[in-house]
Coordinates of all heavy atoms in Angstrom, one line a residue:
C143 N 280.4 -71.2 -23.3 CA 280.7 -72.4 -24.2 C 281.3 -71.9 -25.5 O 281.1 -70.7 -25.9 CB 279.5 -73.3 -24.4 SG 278.1 -72.5 -25.3
I144 N 282.0 -72.9 -26.3 CA 282.6 -72.4 -27.5 C 282.4 -73.7 -28.5 O 282.5 -74.8 -28.1 CB 284.0 -72.2 -27.3 CG1 284.8 -71.5 -28.7 CG2 284.9 -73.3 -26.8 CD1 286.1 -71.0 -28.4
S145 N 282.1 -73.3 -29.8 CA 281.8 -74.3 -30.7 C 283.1 -75.0 -31.1 O 284.2 -74.5 -30.8 CB 281.2 -73.7 -31.9 OG 282.0 -72.8 -32.5
R146 N 283.0 -76.1 -31.9 CA 284.3 -76.8 -32.2 C 285.2 -76.0 -33.1 O 286.4 -76.2 -33.0 CB 283.8 -78.1 -33.0 CG 283.1 -78.0 -34.3 CD 283.1 -79.2 -35.1 NE 284.5 -79.6 -35.5 CZ 284.9 -79.1 -36.7 NH1 284.2 -78.4 -37.6 NH2 286.2 -79.6 -37.1
S147 N 284.7 -75.1 -33.8 CA 285.5 -74.3 -34.7 C 286.1 -73.1 -34.0 O 287.0 -72.4 -34.4 CB 284.7 -73.9 -35.9 OG 283.7 -72.9 -35.6
G148 N 285.4 -72.7 -32.9 CA 285.8 -71.5 -32.2 C 285.0 -70.3 -32.7 O 285.0 -69.2 -32.2
G149 N 284.1 -70.5 -33.8 CA 283.4 -69.4 -34.3 C 282.2 -69.0 -33.6 O 281.7 -67.8 -33.9
F150 N 281.7 -69.7 -32.7 CA 280.6 -69.3 -31.9 C 280.9 -69.5 -30.4 O 281.3 -70.5 -30.0 CB 279.3 -70.3 -32.3 CG 278.1 -70.0 -31.6 CD1 277.2 -69.1 -32.2 CD2 277.8 -70.6 -30.3 CE1 276.0 -68.9 -31.5 CE2 276.7 -70.2 -29.6 CZ 275.7 -69.4 -30.3
T151 N 280.5 -68.5 -29.7 CA 280.7 -68.5 -28.3 C 279.4 -68.0 -27.6 O 278.7 -67.3 -28.3 CB 281.9 -67.7 -27.9 OG1 281.7 -66.3 -28.2 CG2 283.2 -68.2 -28.4
S152 N 279.2 -68.4 -26.4 CA 278.1 -67.9 -25.6 C 278.5 -67.8 -24.2 O 279.4 -68.5 -23.6 CB 277.0 -69.0 -25.7 OG 275.9 -68.6 -25.0
Y153 N 277.8 -66.7 -23.5 CA 278.2 -66.4 -22.0 C 277.0 -66.2 -21.3 O 275.9 -65.7 -21.8 CB 279.0 -65.3 -22.0 CG 280.4 -65.2 -22.7 CD1 280.4 -64.8 -24.0 CD2 281.5 -65.7 -22.0 CE1 281.6 -64.9 -24.7 CE2 282.7 -65.7 -22.8 CZ 282.7 -65.3 -24.1 OH 284.0 -65.3 -24.8
V154 N 276.9 -66.7 -20.1 CA 275.8 -66.4 -19.1 C 275.9 -64.8 -18.9 O 277.0 -64.2 -18.9 CB 275.9 -67.1 -17.8 CG1 277.1 -66.7 -17.0 CG2 274.6 -67.0 -17.0
D155 N 274.8 -64.2 -18.7 CA 274.7 -62.7 -18.6 C 275.6 -62.1 -17.5 O 276.3 -61.2 -17.7 CB 273.3 -62.3 -18.3 CG 272.3 -62.4 -19.5 OD1 272.9 -62.6 -20.7 OD2 271.1 -62.3 -19.3
S156 N 275.7 -62.9 -16.4 CA 276.5 -62.4 -15.3 C 278.0 -62.3 -15.6 O 278.7 -61.6 -14.8 CB 276.3 -63.3 -14.0 OG 276.7 -64.6 -14.4
V157 N 278.5 -62.8 -16.6 CA 279.9 -62.8 -16.9 C 280.3 -62.1 -18.2 O 281.4 -62.0 -18.6 CB 280.6 -64.2 -16.8 CG1 280.3 -64.9 -15.7 CG2 280.2 -65.0 -18.1
K158 N 279.3 -61.8 -19.0 CA 279.4 -61.1 -20.2 C 280.3 -59.8 -20.1 O 280.1 -59.1 -19.1 CB 278.2 -60.8 -20.9 CG 277.4 -62.0 -21.5 CD 276.1 -61.5 -22.1 CE 275.4 -62.6 -22.8 NZ 274.1 -62.3 -23.4
S159 N 281.2 -59.6 -20.9 CA 282.1 -58.5 -21.0 C 283.2 -58.7 -20.0 O 284.3 -57.8 -19.9 CB 281.4 -57.1 -20.8 OG 281.2 -56.9 -19.3
R160 N 283.3 -59.7 -19.1 CA 284.3 -60.0 -18.1 C 285.1 -61.1 -18.4 O 286.3 -61.2 -18.1 CB 283.7 -60.0 -16.7 CG 283.0 -58.8 -16.2 CD 282.6 -58.9 -14.8 NE 281.7 -60.0 -14.5 CZ 282.0 -61.0 -13.6 NH1 283.3 -61.0 -12.9 NH2 281.2 -61.9 -13.4
F161 N 284.4 -62.2 -19.0 CA 285.0 -63.4 -19.3 C 285.2 -63.6 -20.8 O 284.2 -63.2 -21.5 CB 284.2 -64.6 -18.7 CG 284.2 -64.7 -17.2 CD1 284.6 -63.8 -16.4 CD2 283.7 -66.0 -16.6 CE1 284.6 -63.9 -15.1 CE2 283.7 -66.0 -15.2 CZ 284.1 -65.0 -14.5
T162 N 286.3 -64.3 -21.2 CA 286.4 -64.6 -22.6 C 286.9 -66.0 -22.7 O 287.8 -66.4 -22.1 CB 287.5 -63.7 -23.2 OG1 287.1 -62.3 -23.1 CG2 287.6 -64.0 -24.8
I163 N 286.2 -66.8 -23.6 CA 286.5 -68.1 -23.9 C 287.2 -68.3 -25.2 O 286.9 -67.5 -26.2 CB 285.3 -69.1 -23.8 CG1 285.7 -70.6 -23.8 CG2 284.3 -68.7 -25.0 CD1 284.5 -71.5 -23.6
S164 N 288.2 -69.2 -25.3 CA 288.9 -69.3 -26.5 C 289.5 -70.7 -26.6 O 289.5 -71.5 -25.6 CB 290.1 -68.3 -26.7 OG 291.0 -68.5 -25.6
R165 N 289.9 -71.2 -27.8 CA 290.3 -72.5 -28.0 C 291.6 -72.5 -28.9 O 291.7 -71.7 -29.8 CB 289.3 -73.5 -28.4 CG 288.8 -73.3 -29.8 CD 287.6 -74.2 -30.0 NE 287.9 -75.6 -29.9 CZ 287.0 -76.5 -29.7 NH1 285.8 -76.2 -29.5 NH2 287.4 -77.8 -29.6
D166 N 292.5 -73.4 -28.6 CA 293.7 -73.6 -29.5 C 293.7 -75.1 -29.8 O 294.2 -75.9 -29.0 CB 294.9 -73.2 -28.8 CG 296.1 -73.3 -29.7 OD1 296.1 -74.0 -30.7 OD2 297.1 -72.6 -29.4
N167 N 293.0 -75.5 -30.9 CA 293.0 -76.9 -31.3 C 294.4 -77.5 -31.5 O 294.6 -78.7 -31.2 CB 292.0 -77.1 -32.4 CG 290.6 -76.9 -32.1 OD1 290.2 -76.9 -30.9 ND2 289.8 -76.8 -33.2
A168 N 295.3 -76.7 -31.8 CA 296.6 -77.3 -32.1 C 297.3 -77.8 -30.8 O 298.1 -78.7 -30.6 CB 297.5 -76.3 -32.7
K169 N 296.9 -77.0 -29.7 CA 297.4 -77.3 -28.3 C 296.5 -78.2 -27.5 O 296.7 -78.5 -26.5 CB 297.7 -76.1 -27.6 CG 298.9 -75.2 -28.2 CD 299.2 -74.0 -27.3 CE 300.3 -73.2 -27.9 NZ 300.6 -72.0 -27.1
N170 N 295.3 -78.4 -28.2 CA 294.2 -79.3 -27.5 C 293.9 -78.7 -26.2 O 293.6 -79.5 -25.2 CB 294.9 -80.7 -27.3 CG 293.9 -81.7 -27.6 OD1 292.9 -81.5 -28.4 ND2 294.0 -82.9 -27.0
T171 N 293.7 -77.4 -26.1 CA 293.2 -76.8 -24.9 C 292.2 -75.7 -25.2 O 292.0 -75.1 -26.3 CB 294.4 -75.9 -24.3 OG1 295.0 -75.0 -25.1 CG2 295.6 -76.9 -23.8
V172 N 291.4 -75.4 -24.1 CA 290.4 -74.3 -24.1 C 290.7 -73.5 -22.9 O 291.0 -74.0 -21.9 CB 289.0 -74.9 -24.1 CG1 288.0 -73.8 -23.9 CG2 288.7 -75.7 -25.4
T173 N 290.7 -72.2 -23.1 CA 291.0 -71.2 -22.1 C 289.7 -70.3 -21.7 O 289.0 -70.0 -22.5 CB 292.2 -70.4 -22.4 OG1 293.3 -71.1 -22.8 CG2 292.5 -69.3 -21.4
L174 N 289.7 -70.0 -20.4 CA 288.7 -69.0 -20.0 C 289.3 -68.0 -19.2 O 289.9 -68.2 -18.1 CB 287.6 -69.8 -19.1 CG 286.5 -68.9 -18.5 CD1 285.5 -68.6 -19.8 CD2 285.7 -69.5 -17.5
Q175 N 289.4 -66.8 -19.8 CA 290.0 -65.6 -19.2 C 289.0 -64.9 -18.4 O 288.0 -64.5 -19.0 CB 290.7 -64.7 -20.3 CG 291.2 -63.4 -19.8 CD 292.5 -63.6 -19.0 OE1 293.4 -64.4 -19.3 NE2 292.6 -63.0 -17.8
M176 N 289.3 -64.7 -17.2 CA 288.3 -64.1 -16.3 C 288.9 -62.9 -15.7 O 289.8 -62.8 -15.0 CB 287.9 -65.0 -15.1 CG 287.5 -66.5 -15.6 SD 286.8 -67.5 -14.3 CE 288.3 -67.7 -13.4
N177 N 288.2 -61.8 -16.0 CA 288.7 -60.4 -15.5 C 287.7 -59.7 -14.6 O 286.5 -60.3 -14.6 CB 288.9 -59.6 -16.7 CG 290.1 -60.0 -17.6 OD1 291.0 -60.6 -17.2 ND2 289.9 -59.7 -19.0
S178 N 288.0 -58.8 -14.0 CA 287.2 -58.0 -13.1 C 286.3 -59.1 -12.2 O 285.1 -58.9 -12.1 CB 286.2 -57.1 -13.9 OG 286.8 -56.3 -14.7
L179 N 286.9 -59.9 -11.5 CA 286.3 -60.9 -10.7 C 285.6 -60.4 -9.5 O 286.0 -59.4 -8.9 CB 287.3 -62.0 -10.4 CG 287.7 -63.0 -11.4 CD1 289.0 -63.8 -11.2 CD2 286.5 -63.9 -11.8
K180 N 284.5 -61.0 -9.3 CA 283.7 -60.6 -8.1 C 283.5 -61.8 -7.1 O 283.6 -62.9 -7.5 CB 282.2 -60.2 -8.6 CG 282.2 -59.2 -9.8 CD 280.8 -58.9 -10.2 CE 280.8 -57.9 -11.3 NZ 279.4 -57.6 -11.9
P181 N 283.2 -61.4 -6.0 CA 283.0 -62.6 -4.9 C 282.0 -63.6 -5.3 O 282.1 -64.8 -5.1 CB 282.6 -61.8 -3.7 CG 283.2 -60.4 -3.8 CD 283.2 -60.1 -5.3
E182 N 281.0 -63.2 -6.0 CA 279.9 -64.1 -6.5 C 280.4 -65.0 -7.6 O 279.7 -65.9 -8.0 CB 278.7 -63.3 -7.0 CG 278.9 -62.3 -8.0 CD 279.0 -60.8 -7.4 OE1 279.7 -60.7 -6.2 OE2 278.4 -59.9 -7.8
D183 N 281.7 -64.8 -8.1 CA 282.2 -65.8 -9.1 C 282.8 -66.9 -8.4 O 283.3 -67.9 -9.0 CB 283.3 -65.1 -10.0 CG 282.7 -64.0 -10.8 OD1 281.6 -64.3 -11.4 OD2 283.3 -62.9 -11.0
T184 N 283.0 -66.9 -7.1 CA 283.6 -68.0 -6.3 C 282.8 -69.3 -6.5 O 281.6 -69.3 -6.4 CB 283.6 -67.6 -4.8 OG1 284.5 -66.5 -4.5 CG2 284.1 -68.8 -4.0

């Protein structure tokens, strides 16, 4: 999850260091970058 300002983020332990959440309020979008994906991420 990500706060409205983008200044606070939180991750479940199983995705920490692999996933990154970000937001672009100008584009009205939020992105979840997922790296090093595992079958259990399905």
Side-chain angles (χ1 to χ4, degrees):
C143 66
I144 188 167
S145 63
R146 60 167 293 267
S147 70
F150 181 93
T151 59
S152 179
Y153 301 89
V154 68
D155 285 347
S156 60
V157 308
K158 283 181 180 177
S159 78
R160 299 189 298 122
F161 291 11
T162 303
I163 191 170
S164 61
R165 66 189 298 158
D166 186 338
N167 286 346
K169 294 182 178 180
N170 221 23
T171 59
V172 174
T173 299
L174 184 69
Q175 177 67 44
M176 307 188 297
N177 299 327
S178 303
L179 284 161
K180 304 176 180 180
E182 50 264 43
D183 295 317
T184 295

